[in-house]
Amino acid sequence: QLYADVVIDVMYKYVDFANKPPYLNRNFILHGRMPDYATDLTSLRVILLLDSVANLWREKRKRAEL
């Protein structure tokens, strides 16, 4: 649950468009406010984030089946 809370509080947190956040932020990416988003490092970070979320989802499903 802690990981999910961190993702929600960081990735989906409201930010003022006048100040660029020091981390990936969904709103900045989707609204085109982060022009340096398309880098190898950022792509790797997003892939690892998705992998982590998928693993947490699988673990949660396994526990629910028990």
Side-chain angles (χ1 to χ4, degrees):
Q1 182 63 36
L2 177 63
Y3 184 78
D5 291 340
V6 169
V7 169
I8 291 168
D9 289 342
V10 173
M11 293 289 295
Y12 291 87
K13 181 179 179 181
Y14 171 80
V15 288
D16 181 13
F17 283 136
N19 301 312
K20 181 179 174 186
Y23 45 79
L24 291 176
N25 179 272
R26 175 193 171 277
N27 294 327
F28 261 74
I29 295 166
L30 292 178
H31 291 282
R33 302 292 179 122
M34 191 174 271
D36 58 343
Y37 171 72
T39 66
D40 292 345
L41 180 59
T42 304
S43 297
L44 181 59
R45 287 177 178 161
V46 171
I47 290 168
L48 292 173
L49 173 66
L50 289 173
D51 183 57
S52 298
V53 170
N55 284 331
L56 287 171
W57 178 74
R58 281 191 292 271
E59 286 296 318
K60 187 174 183 177
R61 284 190 60 189
K62 283 181 188 177
R63 290 180 187 158
E65 292 173 358
L66 295 178

